[in-house]
Amino acid sequence: MASPAASLRAPPRLARWWSAKPSGERTLLFCAAVIAVAIVGWLGIWQPVVRDIAALRIANARDAVALAEARRMAEDSAGLARTTAPAAAADPRADFDRVVTQHGVRAALTQQDWKDGRLNVVFGAVAFDALVATLEALQRDARLRVVTATIAARVEPGTVRAELVLAR
């Protein structure tokens, strides 16, 4: 079995060339090789690492600012949810009737059926903008949210037929 040192031996041509050089020249070549390795290490390893560290510090500062802003927004949203959530009324039917009347879509209401705490409604022909505003008000004021919805465009521009199921 060959020793580890034997596997590290230089090829015979290189060994002969090296041994033919005077010791001063060998020292000079060795120093030049060390300097070349140091320059390659400096340019190939150290400089990219330093640049990456600087870039990561800048990105870290930017991300910290974004995180602080996101936390502030989350706290604001949580605070708004706690302070503006209206208390649920005892009768959601009265709230529904009030909101539908306020938004002027009572005439478009063709079917209204309360079953198991859910409201099934059909608007035969209602302006889409009015429907969206009404649904927003129902969610905000009456705390009735859309569970299922089927909305189909009608021939009249801007109007739709809407079949909705609302629940608390």
Side-chain angles (χ1 to χ4, degrees), residues 58-129:
I58 292 169
N60 190 21
R62 184 182 60 241
D63 291 346
V65 169
L67 179 62
E69 178 66 16
R71 284 182 177 159
R72 186 195 60 77
M73 290 172 70
E75 289 171 1
D76 288 350
S77 295
L80 286 174
R82 282 189 299 272
T83 59
T84 61
D91 187 20
R93 296 173 187 185
D95 289 339
F96 175 78
D97 290 336
R98 178 182 49 79
V99 170
V100 168
T101 304
Q102 283 177 349
H103 283 85
V105 294
R106 163 86 46 213
L109 185 63
T110 58
Q111 181 182 347
Q112 177 179 350
D113 180 32
W114 287 91
K115 210 182 264 186
D116 298 327
R118 291 182 176 219
L119 170 62
N120 298 316
V121 293
V122 176
F123 291 97
V126 63
F128 183 73
D129 295 340

Side-chain angles (χ1 to χ4, degrees), residues 28-40:
L28 183 63
L29 285 172
F30 179 75
C31 290
V34 169
I35 291 173
V37 167
I39 289 173
V40 168

Side-chain angles (χ1 to χ4, degrees), residues 125-159:
V126 63
F128 183 73
D129 295 340
L131 177 66
V132 171
T134 303
L135 291 175
E136 180 184 12
L138 283 170
Q139 181 173 343
R140 182 185 60 240
D141 300 338
R143 297 184 63 193
L144 287 169
R145 289 169 174 64
V146 176
V147 177
T148 61
T150 304
I151 300 174
R154 294 187 45 92
V155 175
E156 301 88 14
T159 61

